[in-house]
Amino acid sequence: MKVLVCVKRVVDYNVRIRVKPDGGGVVTDGVKMAMNPFDEIAVEEALRMREAGHVSEVVAVTIGDKKSQEQLRTALAMGADRAIWVEHEEAIQPLGVARVLKALAEREQPGLVLLGKQAIDDDCGQTAQMLAALWQRPQATYASEVVISGETVRVTREVDAGLEVIDVDLPAVISTDLRLNEPRYVKLPDIMKAKRKPMDSYTLPDLGVELPPLVERLETTPPPARTGGFKVESVEELVATLKEKGLV
Amino acid sequence: MSRLLIVAEHGAGNLNASVAKTLACALELKPAELDVVLFSADGAEAACQQAAALTGVSRVLSVARPENGAPMGAVLAPQVAAMAADYDYVFGPSTTFGKDLMPSVAALAGVPMVTDIMGVEDGRTFVRPTYAGNAVDKVRVPDGLVVATVRAASYKAVGGGGSAPVEALELDIELPTHSRFVEIRAGSSDRPDLQSATKVVSGGRGLGSAENFQVIYSLADKLGAGVGASRAAVDSGFVPNEMQVGQTGKIIAPDLYIAVGISGAIQHLAGIKDAGTIVAINKDPEAPIFEVADIGLVGDLFKLLPEIEAAL
Ligand SMILES: Cc1cc2nc3c(=O)[nH]c(=O)nc-3n(C[C@H](O)[C@H](O)[C@H](O)COP(=O)(O)OP(=O)(O)OC[C@H]3O[C@@H](n4cnc5c(N)ncnc54)[C@H](O)[C@@H]3O)c2cc1C
Ligand SMILES: Nc1ncnc2c1ncn2[C@@H]1O[C@H](COP(=O)(O)O)[C@@H](O)[C@H]1O
């Protein structure tokens, strides 16, 4: 079985986000970029499936500009067998990404498509479900455990009430939650080796994909600032302050 | 005039608290008709009645089918998408139920989606958080059906007292059989629900162990508070996943939030931006949590928490 695993280039999660003063988005010039943390978990899970003998090939996919190839190289260095770069310079949103992924799924015929549960830049959390709906395959979102047995997968999902377990038939779409695994570190020789691994590239016309209209971003502003208050010196002072505010 | 549909989450005979908050957002659009739909195997009569009593509801629609016994996105989405033809807006709550379901509905309807509406500017313009709430985008949706989730923490629940009719609805469409519910493992707790509690006490890595978390439960019980946790506390196995607060956990808006042994990473703060008063208890005076806390107390939590409990 082949696995497609989706990786998105995003601002590194350690970066303190700054909104541009003109309202035109957040500052990304000179800012450290990285693979979306949930996608690292997705790559790791795909590799573990291959190591366990369930999977024969792990294919990393990204849709983005030239620089997004860096994140494909990271996936290859982690251990993916090959990569697919879908070149697209302009903005693209989850429904558009899902259409591209569906076209690739039809071409590649994977048994599983693994994605992150959300991209930490747009915080949309839409792409996996949209792909599942378009591809008419199961969606197992927020996975914290995935067990493959034959033609079905048992997925434990992190939901508000606790843990939900579902069985889905292959092929299926799975989105990863934080506790699914801990991604491996990439070693230097692997980065060298990754340079020789194959990377195919496509354009949207190659794949016959037409993008839907975008949700237009009119303005980006910083959130209302929470300014820190004050420190109290003692438990008595804390309790007295809370009582004064009518909170206890 | 527009027509709006809310997909309601419910379980164990109760309407989820997120529905009344989603409704508050929906009412800002002043729809001519505002219907609420519940999917169930048995008609979910009690939850339907609770929905019917909420302010502003025109009709409650109940879609009963054996396949709807467990709320699975892949099974519900084609049903919601079929209903969507009659509406201008379809909203769901930003709970894991709504977040799982609504993108599939949007994809089947062929329209983009808005995640986590936190404000309505006009019929097509909405405000939503990005980058863990560190940026706020004003966005305009293209023409056509609007599909969205509503960030419950941004809205106050509408009141009751309404008496909308409850109607059974039959949807004659084929449903996928590729996904099967097995079980849900829910932690049972008598404490207030984290997402609707007015007071929440949360513990982080500073607690050190599951046993030590007892001091958090104890203070919470004294206050009648819900209990939350940081990701580190969940990852370390101190508490179950449903207690995680933050960007990828629960987004909450209690009147009082007490963060104990939590450093204040941006991903954690994303979950408490709408809290009324934030209290931080941490032994490190430089911990970033103090930059946002309204009231800070520096010291060892194991010494301070019992003292606070005694002083209350
Ligand atoms: C993609 C992504 C998503 C994430 N989502 C979330 C999320 O939803 N929610 C979340 O919480 N995190 C999330 N995180 C993790 C986040 O970045 C932090 O790692 C996490 O919040 C740290 O938890 P903590 O504050 O409990 O632990 P630490 O950062 O280790 O802080 C522990 C604190 O306890 C204090 N302490 C220790 N002992 C005592 C004592 N005896 N008395 C008083 N104070 C003491 C220390 O001074 C320290 O400040 C996410 C990370 C990523 C990459
Ligand atoms: N441009 C992209 N290229 C590859 N994968 C993507 C892209 N955008 C989103 N994804 C995948 O979809 C997941 C969810 O993204 P989102 O719906 O934007 O929150 C991400 O974690 C990725 O796995």
Side-chain angles (χ1 to χ4, degrees):
Chain A
M1 169 170 85
K2 187 192 289 184
V3 176
L4 286 191
V5 44
C6 304
V7 304
K8 186 180 184 191
R9 175 181 173 87
V10 298
V11 172
D12 186 275
Y13 79 94
N14 287 308
V15 169
R16 246 180 211 249
I17 295 301
R18 280 183 304 129
V19 173
K20 289 183 191 161
D22 67 359
V26 306
V27 177
T28 50
D29 281 349
V31 163
K32 184 171 179 222
M33 304 295 283
M35 189 190 300
N36 185 40
F38 291 98
D39 300 349
E40 264 184 76
I41 294 170
V43 175
E44 176 66 32
E45 196 64 18
L47 297 176
R48 290 186 191 188
M49 287 172 180
R50 193 186 60 200
E51 285 154 9
H54 296 297
V55 162
S56 48
E57 191 183 29
V58 175
V59 184
V61 179
T62 200
I63 299 118
D65 62 12
K66 244 195 175 66
K67 287 186 177 152
S68 64
Q69 290 180 70
E70 283 171 26
Q71 278 59 50
L72 288 177
R73 290 288 168 207
T74 307
L76 293 171
M78 284 176 77
D81 298 291
R82 65 186 170 93
I84 297 176
W85 173 45
V86 180
E87 183 178 359
H88 186 70
E89 292 286 333
E90 295 82 41
I92 187 163
Q93 293 173 345
L95 184 58
V97 175
R99 286 188 184 173
V100 173
L101 294 174
K102 178 179 176 247
L104 286 175
E106 280 166 354
R107 225 169 240 256
E108 296 278 341
Q109 299 285 322
L112 275 175
V113 183
L114 296 181
L115 304 87
K117 84 162 177 180
Q118 79 196 64
I120 60 163
D121 49 2
D122 63 25
D123 279 338
C124 279
Q126 301 174 4
T127 309
Q129 299 91 307
M130 287 180 160
L131 168 63
L134 297 179
W135 195 27
Q136 296 188 309
R137 295 309 308 164
Q139 64 190 53
T141 49
Y142 324 138
S144 66
E145 196 187 348
V146 175
V147 180
I148 301 176
S149 50
E151 289 306 301
T152 64
V153 192
R154 177 157 289 193
V155 181
T156 305
R157 308 177 53 229
E158 293 204 2
V159 296
D160 288 342
L163 294 171
E164 184 190 82
V165 182
I166 62 172
D167 281 342
V168 296
D169 295 335
L170 295 172
V173 178
I174 296 179
S175 83
T176 60
D177 216 318
L178 291 170
R179 278 168 283 276
L180 182 56
N181 61 49
E182 262 190 58
R184 65 196 62 188
Y185 285 103
V186 177
K187 292 185 233 63
L188 197 59
D190 297 329
I191 297 175
M192 301 311 291
K193 252 193 282 175
K195 292 199 172 122
R196 292 192 299 273
K197 289 187 179 176
M199 187 185 296
D200 296 328
S201 65
Y202 296 102
T203 61
L204 297 189
D206 291 342
L207 296 170
V209 173
E210 235 179 277
L211 292 183
L214 295 176
V215 174
E216 188 190 355
R217 196 180 63 208
L218 303 177
E219 189 187 17
T220 303
T221 48
R226 271 202 95 102
T227 46
F230 54 91
K231 286 200 177 109
V232 290
E233 295 302 324
S234 67
V235 165
E236 292 71 48
E237 203 187 327
L238 172 66
V239 173
T241 313
L242 291 176
K243 282 194 174 145
E244 212 171 283
K245 289 179 169 246
L247 289 167
V248 295
Chain B
M1 288 301 266
S2 63
R3 293 168 56 99
L4 190 149
L5 178 68
I6 290 176
V7 186
E9 176 171 4
H10 64 95
N14 278 309
L15 195 66
N16 189 280
S18 60
V19 179
K21 296 177 182 178
T22 305
L23 203 56
C25 171
L27 287 174
E28 290 188 8
L29 290 157
K30 301 193 173 50
E33 270 174 73
L34 200 170
D35 296 342
V36 176
V37 62
L38 283 79
F39 295 90
S40 66
D42 61 0
E45 212 184 303
C48 284
Q49 290 305 334
Q50 291 167 25
L54 292 174
T55 302
V57 177
S58 313
R59 287 189 303 168
V60 174
L61 304 169
S62 172
V63 184
R65 271 177 91 139
E67 297 93 327
N68 292 344
M72 303 228 285
V75 175
L76 299 188
Q79 302 176 67
V80 180
M83 294 178 73
D86 293 332
Y87 293 91
D88 304 291
Y89 300 88
V90 183
F91 283 5
S94 61
T95 55
T96 49
F97 165 82
K99 283 178 184 264
D100 178 52
L101 171 62
M102 301 312 285
S104 309
V105 172
L108 292 177
V111 295
M113 186 193 136
V114 182
T115 295
D116 279 336
I117 291 181
M118 56 188 287
V120 173
E121 294 272 314
D122 63 43
R124 308 211 74 79
T125 313
F126 304 94
V127 180
R128 63 171 301 263
T130 59
Y131 290 94
N134 290 298
V136 177
D137 279 358
K138 192 192 285 182
V139 298
R140 181 155 54 216
V141 292
D143 288 347
L145 176 72
V146 180
V147 179
T149 52
V150 173
R151 185 175 181 273
S154 298
Y155 289 92
K156 292 241 175 305
V158 299
S163 57
V166 179
E167 298 170 16
L169 179 68
E170 272 189 49
L171 294 171
D172 186 23
I173 51 171
E174 211 181 309
L175 297 181
T177 54
H178 53 46
S179 305
R180 293 167 298 278
F181 174 81
V182 179
E183 60 169 336
I184 181 131
R185 298 200 290 267
S188 65
S189 160
D190 302 333
R191 296 193 177 84
D193 169 54
L194 186 52
Q195 271 156 313
S196 35
T198 55
K199 298 172 199 169
V200 170
V201 184
S202 280
R205 198 196 312 269
L207 270 298
S209 71
E211 295 73 49
N212 289 350
F213 227 83
Q214 202 50 49
V215 296
I216 299 285
Y217 294 124
S218 181
L219 176 62
D221 290 345
K222 182 93 185 202
L223 289 167
V227 177
S230 70
R231 174 189 172 186
V234 178
D235 285 3
S236 310
F238 305 168
V239 294
N241 64 283
E242 62 266 24
M243 284 169 55
Q244 182 175 316
V245 171
Q247 179 186 21
T248 51
K250 287 177 179 157
I251 312 272
I252 58 174
D255 298 331
L256 174 64
Y257 186 75
I258 307 184
V260 183
I262 291 177
S263 61
I266 50 170
Q267 293 88 3
H268 186 79
L269 302 181
I272 54 170
K273 283 203 150 58
D274 297 297
T277 298
I278 298 176
V279 175
I281 298 170
N282 196 305
K283 69 177 180 190
D284 173 10
E286 303 300 321
I289 188 84
F290 289 121
E291 289 166 32
V292 297
D294 299 284
I295 309 174
L297 180 58
V298 179
D300 183 355
L301 71 95
F302 296 108
K303 178 174 167 287
L304 295 173
L305 256 51
E307 286 180 24
I308 294 171
E309 220 185 297
L312 283 166

